[in-house]
Each structure stands twice: as C-alpha cells, then as structure tokens.
Amino acid sequence: MKRTLLIVRHGQTTWNVEHRLPGQLPGVALTENGREQAARLAESLSVLPISSIISSPLERARDTAAYLAEGRNVEIQFEPDLMDTNVGEWAGKVIDDLSKNDPAWKAYVKDPTVAPEGIETFPQVQRRVVAAIERWLTHDDIGAYPVFVAHADVVKLLVAYYTGLEAGRAGTLMIDNASVSLIELEDSQRPRMLAIGWSPRPGWLKPPLPEAQAQTQKPEAETQEQEAGEQKT
C-alpha cells in the first residue's frame, strides 16, 4: 500500500518567542501567531484527503492538530513517543543563558549524539520516534494520508531517517513552525521525500538586511548556536 506521511511541526509557542527550552514540559501554549500559522497550514492541506491524525500529547502539538482536524471526520489520536526531546534539567531554561553559562549545553548543540545523564541524544530520540511511526504504519485503518504532529527535533530525525542522513547531522535541517514534511512510502521501494519543512509562509523568507544593520547583528557562531537551540523547541 502506498502511503504519504505528513509530518507536521506545531505552530509558534510562547516559549519559542522567549527562546526558552520546553523539552517535555506541559502547558506550553501556542501564541496568536502560532494559531494563525496552524490555521494557514490546515487550509493549505485541505486539498489532501487526510485519513488520520496522530499527535504528540503535548499541548502545542495537540492544539495544532486540532486545526488540521477541523472540517474533517477524523479523530485525533495521541502517541507519547512523538513527544519532544527530553532535555532534562535544561527544560524551562532560556537558550541565551545556557549558551553563555553551560559548557555541557554548548557541547550538546555541537554534537547531539552525546549528552549528559538525563538528556536524550539525537540517536535515542530517533529510535523512539521511528519505532512509533512504524507501529502506526502497521494499522491499516490510518489510511493513505496519515498526519503525525510533533516537534522540530522529531521532524528532523524522521526526515534524517527516511533520507539516510546521520542522526547527528539532523540539526542542519531547518524546520519551520507549522510546516509539513511529506514522505511517500510504497512497499519495498525507497522512501520519496516530497517536501521538507514546507510552510505557506516560511520563516526564513525575509528581506536581506542593509549592510550597516547586518554588521550590528550577533556573531555568526552565536546566531547559529541560538538557532540550533530554538529548533529544539
């Protein structure tokens, strides 16, 4: 059976705006912009015959899934193994503070295949989320167009798995809030990536800054580190 998997990242949250790591903490809500992002994505995907919606149970994913379910005779189902990376004691911390004061965080951003005790590595997260997807794919009743709503790390690591990219390099992918990655699976054929991190209004699509203003921005290494952290939200 041919299936087209739609892997969706949740809309913008209050903690995305604050550059704060949520990990698996509950109670992280979508912003008004995040709700608008989710609604736009749902409208864009209305042309597809979405057959099921499986979501991380965390609020930001669950609330995004609700927009995708509107107007469809589809019940949202929840999968705990689609939850965000468990970042342990870093959950709730501001990324800038970690970047300035925590060498272990800086090392983790540089190489997420190694982590302190109590923190999930990228390979561990990948094994967890791939196993969850494969379990759901054994259920014929999820249909040909199942949607899985999750988090940036989860989406990156699923894309990495289906494209053959090493888990440790998944952080090089950019996955927008309220974006969708489409993966086509059919019998024993190789997976086909139809889209990676597509959104109706991509966050990276911004006019270039004037040269004088660009020179006042953060140094490139610091910016990359912060973006890597933000993508863990």
Side-chain angles (χ1 to χ4, degrees), residues 102-181:
D102 193 329
W105 165 256
K106 292 172 71 74
Y108 180 68
V109 170
K110 184 176 181 180
D111 181 9
T113 67
V114 180
E117 184 176 356
I119 310 293
E120 279 189 302
T121 66
F122 267 23
Q124 288 172 330
V125 178
Q126 187 178 63
R127 286 193 291 271
R128 164 167 66 83
V129 300
V130 168
I133 296 294
E134 291 185 341
R135 283 197 305 272
W136 282 97
L137 292 179
T138 64
H139 300 178
D140 291 338
D141 60 357
I142 68 170
Y145 285 85
V147 175
F148 297 90
V149 185
H151 311 269
D153 284 355
V154 173
V155 179
K156 289 182 179 186
L157 289 163
L158 287 171
V159 168
Y161 174 79
Y162 286 110
T163 59
L165 183 69
E166 294 178 3
R169 298 183 60 198
T172 63
L173 299 170
M174 176 65 184
I175 302 296
D176 263 338
N177 286 114
S179 65
V180 61
S181 299

Side-chain angles (χ1 to χ4, degrees), residues 4-87:
T4 301
L5 280 56
L6 290 84
I7 315 295
V8 171
R9 184 188 177 194
H10 61 77
Q12 183 193 69
T13 70
T14 53
W15 283 21
N16 289 150
V17 175
E18 297 170 5
H19 297 171
R20 191 181 296 275
L21 285 175
Q24 297 184 352
L25 292 177
V28 180
L30 296 180
T31 62
E32 181 61 31
N33 183 44
R35 291 189 287 273
E36 291 174 359
Q37 290 173 335
R40 282 197 300 269
L41 181 64
E43 182 179 4
S44 297
L45 297 179
S46 63
V47 298
L48 295 178
I50 290 173
S51 52
S52 55
I53 299 175
I54 299 100
S55 176
S56 158
L58 293 172
E59 287 93 331
R60 54 196 186 274
R62 186 182 68 203
D63 293 347
T64 300
Y67 283 93
L68 298 172
E70 284 184 5
R72 300 179 184 273
N73 187 25
V74 176
E75 180 180 354
I76 300 171
Q77 303 176 79
F78 297 104
E79 173 52 70
D81 280 342
L82 290 180
M83 286 201 297
D84 207 351
T85 302
N86 182 356
V87 293

